[in-house]
């Protein structure tokens, strides 16, 4: 049985172009359409034949596309991989892990060969090429993260906006009027979707409560302890009486060490809150007030939606947010007089 990959190769075009020719979702030049149609006729390709074959005998495999780049915080991402694997196994599915840096190539490959029933997409970038592929193929996909162009996609994520407002409200209610924000490494604000969303929400909440805010990153491509300690000094020097840490566990430890070096104690000398620190990671951060990021919650919702997409009653495209929960650990107090 011919595959879409065979058609693309015979017509000298991409898999996406074949899919667009068949679906009409995007315009395709007439000469290109003609070549694709000729290849389909010559090979006897039936776009839905593989799907019909699998309808009664699925592969029971999900592809999990998780590119490992230079800025990837491996413990956090592997916590999501593990959570996805557990959630899939609970539904009698296994995971085919795609880790190449060019995530699009792996996604197209498993689609062309009909190796999987659905695709789970991790480490979503703001402008993610996998979004266009997901819209073009006829295999369901669920994104754990929200790309800028989310049209016709099913996405799952923590409600980072609500989480950010929770932590800023807690500090404002305690009387803080100057807050420091220690964020992810600099590169994450262009390569990942959620750090800029969380930062914007923190700034909006601080403005709403008439708080002064100061922002520092925790490194260039990875969390750097020296950078975190220097950033903490600069935030304190700028007048911040509380710090929101939205970064990997190593940043939490570095901030606490620098605060102690200043002769301050938490929370009477400085208040600390953690925004979306990953729970269940090998090196768990020190326990602070804040909203944890729980990979299990996102994984369960993503796999549940993937199963619905394979059923006769698929969910509507859109963003499905998991609810944040504030945890009080006693690290917030009124600012020192």
């Amino acid at each position: 049985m011919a595959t879409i990959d065979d058609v693309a190769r015979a017509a000298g075009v991409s898999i996406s172009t074949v899919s667009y020719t068949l679906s009409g979702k995007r315009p395709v030049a007439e000469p290109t359409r003609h070549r694709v149609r000729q290849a389909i006729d010559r090979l006897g390709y039936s776009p839905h034949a593989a799907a019909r074959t699998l309808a009664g005998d699925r592969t029971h495999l999900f592809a999990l596309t998780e590119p490992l780049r230079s800025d990837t915080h491996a413990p956090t991402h592997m916590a999501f991989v593990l959570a996805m694997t557990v959630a899939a196994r609970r539904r009698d599915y296994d995971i085919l892990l795609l880790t190449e840096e060019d995530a699009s190539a792996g996604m197209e490959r498993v689609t062309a060969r009909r190796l999987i029933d659905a695709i789970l997409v991790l480490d979503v970038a703001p402008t993610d090429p996998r979004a266009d592929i997901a819209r073009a193929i006829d295999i369901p996909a669920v994104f754990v993260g929200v790309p800028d162009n989310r049209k016709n996609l099913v996405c799952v994520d923590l409600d980072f906006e609500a989480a950010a407002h929770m932590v800023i409200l807690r500090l404002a209610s305690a009387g803080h009027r100057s807050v420091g924000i220690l964020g992810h490494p600099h590169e994450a604000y262009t390569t990942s979707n959620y750090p800029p969303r969380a930062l914007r929400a923190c700034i909006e909440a601080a403005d709403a409560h008439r708080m002064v805010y100061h922002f520092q990153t925790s490194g260039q491509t990875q969390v750097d302890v020296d950078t975190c300690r220097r950033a903490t000094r600069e935030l304190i020097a700028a007048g911040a009486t509380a710090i929101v840490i939205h970064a990997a566990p190593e940043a939490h430890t570095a901030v606490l060490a620098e605060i102690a070096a200043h002769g301050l104690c938490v929370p009477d000398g400085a208040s600390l809150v953690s925004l979306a620190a990953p729970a269940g990671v090998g090196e768990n951060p020190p326990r602070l007030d804040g909203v944890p990021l729980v990979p299990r919650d996102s994984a369960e919702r993503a796999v549940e939606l993937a199963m619905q997409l394979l059923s006769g009653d698929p969910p509507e495209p859109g963003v499905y947010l998991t609810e944040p929960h504030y945890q009080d650990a006693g690290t917030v107090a009124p600012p020192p007089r």
Side-chain angles (χ1 to χ4, degrees):
M1 181 173 61
T3 68
I4 194 172
D5 190 39
D6 297 328
V7 174
R9 202 162 34 243
V13 298
S14 69
I15 293 170
S16 298
T17 299
V18 176
S19 184
Y20 292 141
T21 300
L22 293 167
S23 67
K25 289 182 178 179
R26 289 193 179 184
V28 177
E30 185 54 40
T32 304
R33 289 176 61 85
H34 182 67
R35 287 206 316 276
V36 171
R37 289 292 181 189
Q38 280 189 322
I40 287 172
D41 293 342
R42 186 167 65 253
L43 296 172
Y45 172 66
S46 175
H48 302 296
R52 286 197 300 271
T53 300
L54 290 176
D57 185 21
R58 291 177 176 164
T59 66
H60 283 268
L61 277 175
F62 288 143
L64 180 61
T65 165
E66 163 63 292
L68 298 179
R69 303 186 303 261
S70 60
D71 63 313
T72 297
H73 184 253
T76 298
H77 287 270
M78 291 314 295
F80 273 90
V81 171
L82 176 59
M84 288 289 185
T85 303
V86 171
R89 281 307 311 150
R90 290 181 60 247
R91 295 162 176 84
D92 199 28
Y93 265 79
D94 289 311
I95 293 292
L96 176 64
L97 184 59
L98 309 175
T99 59
E100 58 259 80
E101 188 165 352
D102 182 5
S104 299
M107 195 167 166
E108 289 189 329
R109 185 178 67 253
V110 296
T111 299
R113 296 178 183 176
R114 289 287 178 177
L115 297 175
I116 43 90
D117 293 338
I119 301 172
L120 305 170
V121 183
L122 288 179
D123 198 12
V124 177
T127 54
D128 200 310
R130 294 172 295 176
D132 283 337
I133 296 173
R135 280 186 282 265
I137 62 180
D138 58 357
I139 289 178
V142 178
F143 283 64
V144 181
V146 185
D148 291 344
N149 184 357
R150 66 204 66 168
K151 183 179 179 182
N152 295 329
L153 297 180
V154 175
C155 305
V156 173
D157 214 345
L158 173 69
D159 190 339
F160 283 96
E161 289 76 12
H165 280 264
M166 280 182 177
V167 299
I168 296 296
L169 174 60
R170 177 69 181 88
L171 295 174
S173 299
H176 292 274
R177 292 294 172 263
S178 180
V179 61
I181 304 168
L182 180 66
H184 281 265
H186 177 78
E187 194 167 318
Y189 289 88
T190 56
T191 61
S192 190
N193 73 100
Y194 66 90
R197 287 165 48 208
L199 177 60
R200 284 194 300 269
C202 281
I203 292 172
E204 289 170 2
D207 286 342
H209 291 287
R210 298 182 179 180
M211 300 170 74
V212 177
Y213 66 86
H214 317 272
F215 173 65
Q216 296 281 346
T217 58
S218 53
Q220 186 60 37
T221 60
Q222 293 281 350
V223 169
D224 177 74
V225 170
D226 290 338
T227 300
C228 290
R229 296 193 66 157
R230 182 172 62 252
T232 303
R233 290 195 296 272
E234 292 178 4
L235 292 173
I236 293 171
T241 57
I243 297 176
V244 177
I245 308 172
H246 181 221
E250 299 90 326
H252 296 65
T253 305
V255 171
L256 283 166
E258 189 59 34
I259 286 175
H262 268 73
L264 301 174
C265 61
V266 177
D268 295 326
S271 291
L272 293 183
V273 291
S274 174
L275 174 57
V281 175
E283 182 188 347
N284 283 306
R287 182 164 167 73
L288 303 177
D289 266 53
V291 178
L293 174 63
V294 184
R296 180 185 65 252
D297 293 347
S298 296
E300 287 289 338
R301 191 73 176 106
V303 171
E304 175 188 332
L305 287 165
M307 297 301 294
Q308 291 179 27
L309 286 166
L310 291 170
S311 73
D313 187 24
E316 290 293 323
V319 179
Y320 294 81
L321 297 174
T322 62
E323 184 181 359
H325 296 282
Y326 191 93
Q327 296 182 351
D328 190 335
T331 59
V332 173
R337 293 183 183 276

